[in-house]
Amino acid sequence: MPTLVTPALVCALRPHGEHGAIARLLTPDHGLVAGYVRGGRSRLMRPVLLPGNSVMATFRARTEDQLAGLTVEMAHSRAPLYAEPLPAAAIDWSCALTAAALSEGTPHPALYRALDGVLGAIEAAPAARGWAVALVRYELLLLAELGFGLDLSRCAALGDADDLAYVSPRSAAAVSRAGAVGYEHLLLPLPSFLLAGGTGEWADIMDGFALTGFFLERSVLTDRRVDILAARERLVDRLKRAVA
């Protein structure tokens, strides 16, 4: 990757040196890419490098193994959303999850499109219910892209596809109401919007977050990802208080 010019979504930023920063950006065709931004912590660059912003990025490196130098131009700012607690928490979590979960340089075009869609929904929806479903679906897609997808096609116990209502925490497979009799307390509720599409009631949405959160914590956000999980807990807590 001597030079790469691409649209990208800012996912994470950390200080590097006295004035610089390392930004991790999700790109359409090259997955997550990191680069060093000279003056990345300056008053001029901080608003550009906010997670959730859409930018045009130029990465330049002498070798494949070298950390690329990065320059960015703003394509679309989502900075105004940071003034609102719920949208800010949703952007913080969705971008932090992406940066923590993906390996650099592995293409995930479906995730790029999905994250761009989630960020657009957070920006456009008049209320949280308009984007919360999209965020649950994004988490489900990320699990699948990383090889930890849930099998929601048929009942793991009976083999049919009728009245699926739960997911087994052990097998990550759906279970029907009939197949779950006597074991409901051991299973995770499966919200209907993950099967039928459309929107969901708040109870279903919170069940969706509980479902994806279980598998993200078990399979993806392991070891030292405490700060990442804290971002998710803040989001879920704010959603619960908003609909209480």
Side-chain angles (χ1 to χ4, degrees):
M1 187 190 69
T3 301
L4 171 65
V5 181
T6 177
L9 300 169
V10 181
C11 289
L13 190 73
R14 64 179 175 86
H16 187 82
E18 188 174 354
H19 302 292
I22 294 176
R24 303 183 76 198
L25 278 55
L26 185 62
T27 68
D29 301 317
H30 296 80
L32 198 68
V33 183
Y36 172 73
V37 184
R38 188 182 300 275
R41 294 153 64 194
S42 68
R43 184 181 302 177
L44 178 65
M45 290 306 302
R46 281 199 305 268
V48 180
L49 293 171
L50 279 177
N53 281 352
S54 298
V55 298
M56 181 58 68
T58 301
F59 297 89
R60 292 186 176 90
R62 291 193 180 94
T63 68
E64 292 288 339
D65 298 328
Q66 181 189 41
L67 177 66
L70 170 62
T71 57
V72 294
E73 295 180 8
M74 182 75 80
H76 181 71
S77 173
R78 295 189 171 93
L81 295 174
Y82 278 83
E84 304 176 48
L86 261 178
I91 293 173
D92 184 34
W93 160 244
S94 58
C95 291
L97 168 64
T98 304
L102 301 187
S103 300
E104 291 181 14
T106 302
H108 290 285
L111 282 178
Y112 176 86
R113 293 191 298 270
L115 180 58
D116 191 41
V118 168
L119 294 170
I122 294 170
E123 186 173 26
R129 187 176 167 188
W131 51 256
V133 166
L135 184 48
V136 172
R137 289 198 177 102
Y138 177 71
E139 294 179 347
L140 196 67
L141 175 62
L142 185 140
L143 283 164
E145 287 277 315
L146 296 180
F148 303 108
L150 280 58
D151 181 2
L152 306 181
S153 60
R154 59 181 57 84
C155 175
L158 303 179
D160 63 325
D162 298 327
D163 201 19
L164 301 177
Y166 300 94
V167 173
S168 165
R170 174 178 292 183
S171 67
V175 182
S176 67
R177 293 186 195 280
V181 171
Y183 298 93
E184 295 91 342
H185 63 292
L186 300 176
L187 304 172
L188 299 165
L190 173 60
S192 59
F193 69 82
L194 290 180
L195 299 173
T199 59
E201 299 298 326
W202 272 115
D204 292 331
I205 291 170
M206 300 315 298
D207 282 344
F209 276 113
L211 175 66
T212 52
F214 175 86
F215 290 103
L216 284 170
E217 187 168 355
R218 187 181 76 175
S219 302
V220 178
L221 300 176
T222 54
D223 54 51
R224 55 190 182 281
R225 308 287 175 83
V226 176
D227 55 332
I228 304 300
L229 289 171
R232 192 177 197 274
E233 290 170 3
R234 284 193 298 271
L235 170 62
V236 172
D237 182 62
R238 287 177 180 176
L239 285 171
K240 288 178 178 178
R241 282 184 288 161
V243 302

